Amino acid sequence: MEVQKIFENNKKWVQHQLAIDTNYFKDMSKGQNPEILYIGCSDSRVTAEEMMGVGPGEAFVHRNIANMVPNTDLSAMSVIDYSLMHLKVNHVVVCGHYYCGGVKAAMQPKDLGILNPWLRNIRDVYRIHKDELNTIKDEDKKYKRLVELNVQEQCVNVIKTSEFQQAYNDRKVTVHGWVFDIHSGKLIDLKIDFEKILDQIREIYRLH
Ligand SMILES: [Zn+2]
C-alpha cells in the first residue's frame, strides 16, 4: 500500500463521517467514555474495533505481541491503571487468536534475541499447564490450546492487579477471555469464571 493512499482514505473517511453527523468530530473532541478495555494481539489480521463492531470512543485498546499482561510492563500496567481508575471502564477483555505468531514462537526451543524475555511469559504459561498440553499429541490442537490457556493466564494477570481488585470492589468490573478464530472470523468466549479465579488467588494476591 502506498502511504499517500492512506491520506486519501482519511479524507474520504472524514467526509463520510461528516455526512452522517456534522458534529461527529466536535463531539468526539469533548472526551472519551469507553465501556471496555480491550487487550489484544498486534497481529495485523486481528483488528480490535472492526471485528467487535464498535466505533471510536467505545473501546480503550491495548495491543502487543500475543496479548500479554506482564506485571513488569509499564505500558500494559499504565493502560490498566488509566482505564480502570480514571476512565472507569466496566469490562476488561483479553482477546487472543488462533495461529498467533507470538505463541508459535514461544513453542519453539530457539534463541530469539530481544524477543526472549517477552516470549518467556508465554513459555511460563506452557510450564504451568504442561501436564494438560503434553497429553495433546496433535501439534495444531496443542498450539490452539496454548493460545486459549495464554488468554486465561493473562486474565489472571489482570485480576492480580491492585486496580482491578479496587474496581471490582467498587463497581463489580468483569473480565472476559476471548479467542478470535482467524479461519471463521468468529469470536469465541472462553467463559472464564473470573470470580472463581479471584476467590482462588486471593489468599496470595489479595491487595484490596
Ligand atoms: Zn498474535
Side-chain angles (χ1 to χ4, degrees):
M1 182 190 255
E2 295 271 335
V3 172
Q4 196 46 42
K5 179 89 177 112
I6 292 171
F7 286 89
E8 285 164 26
N9 290 346
N10 171 256
K11 215 170 174 180
K12 281 184 204 149
W13 176 72
V14 170
Q15 283 164 355
H16 177 77
Q17 296 304 113
L18 290 175
I20 298 167
D21 177 5
T22 47
N23 290 320
Y24 186 78
F25 295 103
K26 213 168 118 193
D27 290 345
M28 206 152 71
S29 61
K30 286 176 189 157
Q32 59 171 331
N33 190 24
E35 267 287 306
I36 298 172
L37 163 61
Y38 170 95
I39 300 168
C41 184
S42 299
D43 192 302
S44 61
R45 301 164 297 177
V46 190
T47 61
E49 289 91 346
E50 203 179 340
M51 60 112 165
M52 291 195 290
V54 302
E58 292 185 275
F60 197 69
V61 173
H62 180 69
R63 292 169 71 179
N64 59 36
I65 293 175
N67 41 271
M68 305 301 290
V69 186
N71 171 47
T72 51
D73 180 50
L74 201 52
S75 178
M77 290 300 117
S78 302
V79 162
I80 286 178
D81 183 276
Y82 184 65
S83 60
L84 284 168
M85 299 289 98
H86 302 279
L87 296 174
K88 307 232 179 264
V89 297
N90 286 316
H91 308 280
V92 180
V93 169
V94 177
C95 185
H97 67 100
Y98 292 139
Y99 303 104
C100 179
V103 173
K104 183 87 188 166
M107 285 176 84
Q108 326 279 321
K110 205 174 167 190
D111 184 349
L112 292 165
I114 191 67
L115 286 172
N116 290 340
W118 193 258
L119 299 178
R120 238 285 300 281
N121 297 304
I122 311 171
R123 291 195 168 110
D124 289 344
V125 174
Y126 196 123
R127 179 177 50 79
I128 294 166
H129 296 278
K130 185 167 71 99
D131 291 346
E132 182 193 333
L133 288 163
N134 286 349
T135 62
I136 307 170
K137 297 291 165 234
D138 185 285
E139 275 301 305
D140 208 47
K141 282 192 183 131
K142 190 192 267 188
Y143 179 17
K144 284 174 127 178
R145 186 61 187 141
L146 182 55
V147 165
E148 294 171 0
L149 290 169
N150 184 46
V151 167
Q152 185 184 305
E153 289 302 323
Q154 302 321 310
C155 288
V156 175
N157 283 343
V158 170
I159 295 166
K160 284 175 187 168
T161 65
S162 153
E163 290 86 348
F164 175 79
Q165 292 179 20
Q166 270 188 69
Y168 178 77
N169 292 345
D170 292 349
R171 56 182 195 280
K172 291 274 173 282
V173 168
T174 61
V175 179
H176 310 265
W178 298 345
V179 170
F180 177 73
D181 183 0
I182 271 186
H183 276 132
S184 66
K186 284 184 182 158
L187 268 180
I188 300 160
D189 186 354
L190 298 177
K191 297 194 168 45
I192 284 166
D193 189 345
F194 76 94
E195 283 178 310
K196 195 174 155 197
I197 296 171
L198 182 62
D199 232 39
Q200 286 168 344
I201 68 166
R202 262 189 174 143
E203 186 191 343
I204 300 167
Y205 297 97
R206 184 203 287 270
L207 300 175
H208 287 278

